């Protein structure tokens, strides 16, 4: 592994550790301090402004015909994706969310077959079936564990994964045509426009006077860490390693979430999170991971 690849793997490791931590940190302030839609408003606005500050120094024109695809990217990859995720996380367990998210590579493959005409091998078909059963098992299991799980919340998280996967496939040609930061800046701008009718009313109703230091730190973490920094780390990594390597790091998120749940349950007294870990969820996690592994496995060891 050369020096550049080493840095890329560190970037991916850092990004997915942040994602894994986010599942439980963001849930900690919803909905008591801030609603999901208001939270997303602040997230997209804050990260979007940071992207455009950097974009100001990058002079790159977009062809008129590509604005439609950028708008679709903003709708699927920012507005729909993030609204569904935070509304789902608000209702369900951080553990459930982190496991269902690992189905994104499965969804990417399915959409790639339809839109990019990617070849569907027997390994990939088996992977889709195993991963799909794992995700369905987890969604159907819902709140029967006695923890903080929710069937509706799990469905939101799954739809979030579908939306984000479709975004990744549709936006791929623009990532090759323009600088990634240019694409992301425009995607966030369109995403903010689409999200505005849903987020603004909730922001107006939010009691910011009730925010504690912990609330402000959580919001700052989500804007700067979970959104702005992770996008930059992923952009850097994509210039050094393949998308399949990038996607494989998503397996870390359930592991990080399990660790965070353990910390919150046994050191901070949030015992309701401890009930979210059970055999069914561990089995679901392994099924999804095995499914994604089969999908990403190359024939002939290459």
């Amino acid at each position: 592994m050369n020096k550049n690849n080493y840095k890329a793997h560190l970037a991916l490791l850092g990004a997915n550790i942040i994602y894994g931590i986010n599942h439980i940190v963001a849930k900690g302030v919803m909905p008591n301090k801030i609603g999901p839609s208001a939270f997303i408003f602040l997230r997209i606005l804050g990260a979007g402004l940071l992207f455009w500050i950097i974009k100001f120094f990058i002079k790159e024109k977009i062809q008129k015909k590509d604005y439609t695809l950028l708008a679709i990217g903003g709708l699927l990859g920012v507005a729909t994706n993030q609204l569904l995720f935070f509304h789902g996380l608000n209702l369900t367990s951080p553990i459930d969310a982190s496991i269902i998210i690992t189905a994104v590579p499965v969804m990417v493959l399915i959409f790639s077959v339809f839109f990019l005409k990617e070849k569907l091998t027997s390994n990939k078909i088996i992977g889709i079936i195993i991963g799909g059963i794992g995700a369905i098992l987890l969604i159907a299991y819902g709140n029967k564990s006695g923890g903080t799980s929710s069937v509706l919340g799990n469905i939101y998280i799954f739809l979030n994964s579908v939306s984000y996967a479709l975004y990744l496939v549709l936006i791929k040609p623009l990532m090759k045509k323009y600088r990634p930061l240019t694409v992301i800046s425009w995607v966030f701008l369109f995403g903010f426009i689409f999200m505005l009718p849903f987020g603004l009313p909730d922001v107006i109703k939010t009691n910011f006077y009730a925010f504690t230091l912990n609330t402000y730190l959580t919001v700052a973490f989500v804007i700067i860490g979970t959104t702005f920094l992770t996008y930059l780390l992923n952009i850097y990594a994509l210039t050094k390693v393949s998308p399949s390597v990038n996607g494989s790091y998503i397996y870390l998120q359930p592991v990080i979430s399990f660790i965070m749940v353990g910390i919150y349950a046994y050191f901070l007294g949030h015992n309701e999170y401890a009930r979210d870990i059970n055999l069914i969820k561990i089995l679901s996690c392994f099924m999804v991971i095995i499914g994604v592994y089969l999908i990403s496995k190359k024939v002939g060891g290459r």
Side-chain angles (χ1 to χ4, degrees):
M1 183 186 298
N2 61 43
K3 187 176 181 180
N4 284 335
N5 280 354
Y6 178 74
K7 290 180 178 178
H9 284 277
L10 283 179
L12 289 171
L13 177 62
N16 282 276
I17 287 175
I18 292 172
Y19 283 137
I21 293 173
N22 178 68
H23 288 103
I24 193 165
V25 170
K27 185 177 177 65
V29 296
M30 295 188 299
N32 295 331
K33 295 295 183 180
I34 186 170
S37 295
F39 207 159
I40 290 302
F41 180 95
L42 297 178
R43 180 182 183 181
I44 297 176
L45 176 62
L49 288 174
L50 291 174
F51 285 130
W52 275 95
I53 289 172
I54 299 177
K55 172 68 175 64
F56 179 78
F57 299 97
I58 300 176
K59 307 301 180 183
E60 187 175 28
K61 291 185 177 180
I62 301 290
Q63 295 181 2
K64 289 183 178 180
K65 64 179 182 178
D66 291 328
Y67 280 111
T68 300
L69 191 52
L70 286 170
I72 294 173
L75 176 63
L76 295 174
V78 176
T80 303
N81 162 44
Q82 295 192 20
L83 283 168
L84 283 172
F85 178 78
F86 267 56
H87 277 277
L89 186 62
N90 180 53
L91 295 173
T92 197
S93 153
I95 289 293
D96 290 32
S98 66
I99 296 173
I100 296 171
I101 285 295
T102 60
V104 167
V106 180
M107 297 296 126
V108 168
L109 172 64
I110 293 172
F111 289 129
S112 295
V113 169
F114 285 100
F115 293 102
L116 303 180
K117 308 303 179 184
E118 186 168 328
K119 187 178 179 181
L120 196 60
T121 65
S122 57
N123 263 356
K124 291 178 179 179
I125 293 173
I126 295 172
I128 290 173
I129 293 172
I130 294 175
I133 292 173
I136 292 170
L137 179 64
L138 181 61
I139 293 170
Y141 192 70
N143 57 3
K144 296 178 183 178
S145 63
T148 60
S149 300
S150 158
V151 175
L152 180 60
N154 286 350
I155 291 174
Y156 282 161
I157 298 293
F158 178 74
L159 292 176
N160 146 258
S161 301
V162 173
S163 176
Y164 186 67
L166 183 55
Y167 154 76
L168 288 177
V169 172
L170 294 180
I171 211 71
K172 185 176 180 179
L174 294 185
M175 285 292 189
K176 293 181 177 180
K177 189 173 182 179
Y178 304 105
R179 295 184 182 183
L181 188 59
T182 298
V183 175
I184 287 174
S185 297
W186 280 103
V187 163
F188 263 77
L189 178 58
F190 281 114
F192 179 77
I193 294 171
F194 286 120
M195 174 276 307
L196 197 57
F198 302 95
L200 186 58
D202 272 14
V203 168
I204 294 173
K205 292 185 293 185
T206 300
N207 181 14
F208 289 98
Y209 292 105
F211 277 27
T212 63
L213 176 60
N214 178 66
T215 309
Y216 282 112
L217 289 175
T218 299
V219 172
F221 173 79
V222 171
I223 293 173
I224 300 172
T226 308
T227 313
F228 178 69
L229 183 57
T230 54
Y231 270 87
L232 290 182
L233 289 173
N234 277 301
I235 288 172
Y236 172 77
L238 280 171
T239 64
K240 308 296 180 183
V241 298
S242 68
S244 61
V245 172
N246 189 300
S248 68
Y249 271 82
I250 202 169
Y251 305 152
L252 284 174
Q253 293 187 33
V255 177
I256 300 300
S257 291
F258 270 78
I259 293 172
M260 289 298 296
V261 163
I263 292 173
Y264 267 64
Y266 298 108
F267 293 100
L268 300 178
H270 292 275
N271 294 321
E272 71 274 15
Y273 291 141
R275 294 194 297 271
D276 289 324
I277 301 176
N278 55 58
L279 185 60
I280 292 294
K281 294 185 182 183
I282 293 173
L283 176 62
S284 299
C285 182
F286 275 109
M287 290 184 71
V288 173
I289 289 175
I290 291 170
V292 178
Y293 168 75
L294 290 172
I295 288 171
S296 60
K297 185 180 179 181
K298 292 184 178 180
V299 180
R302 290 182 288 131

